[in-house]
Amino acid sequence: MIIQLDLQSDVPIYTQLVNQIIEGIASGRLQLGEPLPSVRSLASDIGVNLHTVNKAYTILKQEGYIQVHRQKGVVVDPVAMPPITPEFREKQRRELRPIVAEAICRGMEKEELLRIVEEIHQEISRKE
């Protein structure tokens, strides 16, 4: 999987890493049980501080997307992805709310916003 960072973005690099790894899992480019590079290796490969990668991996581990084994290293959780919980639903609502508000402020119709969400869902779930 290729990681593409936008160093000029307002989005922190660790958040970009988390988002891209989750998208890799969702798209099937990262399979359950697949190993990921070590913190040190990934940091070196993409040219960021190892604490940045460590923070991303810590978040992914806390959210149930990866496991860290002493012998196997970092792997996409081989058992299953985290379930949909009320907390997950609330997090999604909280994160989508400003996006929807901005779309409304700019005059975007609900149908167009829903179409964009459907397109993104199709792009990611295509399992390239």
Side-chain angles (χ1 to χ4, degrees):
M1 182 178 142
I2 296 173
I3 301 287
Q4 296 177 336
L5 299 176
D6 180 357
L7 301 178
Q8 305 305 314
S9 173
D10 291 338
V11 178
I13 293 172
Y14 74 89
T15 302
Q16 292 181 51
L17 282 170
V18 167
N19 292 343
Q20 287 192 31
I21 291 170
I22 291 172
E23 185 173 330
I25 295 167
S27 69
R29 290 181 304 223
L30 290 173
Q31 299 294 314
L32 297 182
E34 184 174 338
L36 296 175
S38 69
V39 169
R40 191 174 306 277
S41 175
L42 183 55
S44 174
D45 289 347
I46 61 177
V48 299
N49 187 294
L50 65 93
H51 296 294
T52 301
V53 176
N54 190 52
K55 186 169 186 174
Y57 277 7
T58 298
I59 292 168
L60 289 164
K61 181 181 175 189
Q62 289 172 344
E63 292 184 2
Y65 290 100
I66 64 172
Q67 290 182 349
V68 180
H69 297 278
R70 291 202 186 275
Q71 296 162 335
K72 296 180 186 176
V74 180
V75 295
V76 176
D77 191 332
V79 178
M81 286 295 99
I84 296 174
T85 61
E87 294 81 14
F88 172 78
R89 289 185 196 281
E90 182 54 36
K91 176 184 173 216
Q92 295 303 300
R93 289 182 61 84
R94 203 172 45 250
E95 291 178 2
L96 285 170
R97 193 172 193 87
I99 294 168
V100 173
E102 183 178 7
I104 291 168
C105 285
R106 292 176 177 254
M108 184 180 284
E109 296 294 326
K110 179 173 87 170
E111 292 75 20
E112 183 178 1
L113 182 61
L114 293 174
R115 182 179 49 75
I116 291 169
V117 170
E118 288 175 357
E119 287 172 0
I120 293 169
H121 188 280
Q122 286 177 348
E123 288 169 9
I124 293 172
S125 65
R126 218 176 262 150
K127 300 204 181 214
E128 301 164 6

